[in-house]
Amino acid sequence: MTPPLRAADLYHTGIVVPDVDAWKDRMGAVAGHRWTATLSAELPVRLAEGDRVLNLRYAYSLDAPHIELVQEIPGTPWTASEHLATHHLGYFCDDLATTSHRLAESGFALEACAVVDGTPSVFAYHLAPCGLRIEIVDRARIPDLSAYLRSKTPQ
């Protein structure tokens, strides 16, 4: 059986932090990471308790392997742990609905997803019983990651 994900499509490790801008500075000072601008997107998101509109704030490191820092939103899957740790592994996929379905069949329950016109779209988070979280992102949204990151870099 073909796995729902391909190892080659892993493109970032996500960490939820209390303050994206402070952590960009901190990781730059400690490890020399360079960052995109802090991005913001107000998106309708489907959670276990229902649909909500959330303001997602995040930034990507410019150098591979890429890190995504995500601003904490208490009471949602984007809640920082007491000791910051990897929040999720981010994979591109070509068919969000099918990949999401196959991950659920593999024991990774759908935890949250963006919703466009009532349909899961853009990204989805899946959670294994052990706590491993995987984010899948529709490759069509970011067909060229290097160009996307350059376009989001402050001049």
Side-chain angles (χ1 to χ4, degrees):
M1 176 163 98
T2 305
L5 301 172
R6 294 180 334 149
D9 287 333
L10 174 64
Y11 75 100
H12 78 269
T13 299
I15 304 170
V16 174
V17 296
D19 183 326
V20 169
D21 296 315
W23 275 95
K24 283 169 55 176
D25 291 343
R26 188 162 194 191
M27 293 302 292
V30 168
H33 286 285
R34 299 172 307 132
W35 300 95
T36 64
T38 300
L39 307 169
S40 182
E42 199 159 291
L43 289 172
V45 175
R46 182 161 293 149
L47 304 169
E49 63 275 4
D51 290 0
R52 289 176 55 189
V53 175
L54 298 177
N55 183 20
L56 299 173
R57 293 185 72 239
Y58 55 97
Y60 284 100
S61 65
L62 295 174
D63 303 300
H66 298 287
I67 297 171
E68 178 191 34
L69 298 177
V70 182
Q71 181 73 44
E72 176 176 37
I73 305 173
T76 74
W78 297 276
T79 300
S81 62
E82 179 181 348
H83 302 285
L84 294 182
T86 298
H87 179 265
H88 65 270
L89 299 176
Y91 290 82
F92 283 125
C93 68
D94 294 314
D95 182 337
L96 192 87
T98 298
T99 304
S100 182
H101 179 76
R102 293 191 62 213
L103 281 170
E105 288 181 333
S106 298
F108 285 77
L110 178 62
E111 181 181 32
C113 63
V115 179
V116 176
D117 296 329
T119 304
S121 181
V122 184
F123 70 85
Y125 280 84
H126 285 264
L127 188 62
C130 69
L132 176 63
R133 182 179 284 115
I134 290 177
E135 177 189 22
I136 54 174
V137 175
D138 182 353
R139 186 184 323 270
R141 296 290 180 153
I142 308 174
D144 182 340
L145 181 60
S146 294
Y148 173 81
L149 294 175
R150 283 191 310 274
S151 76
K152 304 302 181 190
T153 304
Q155 302 302 322

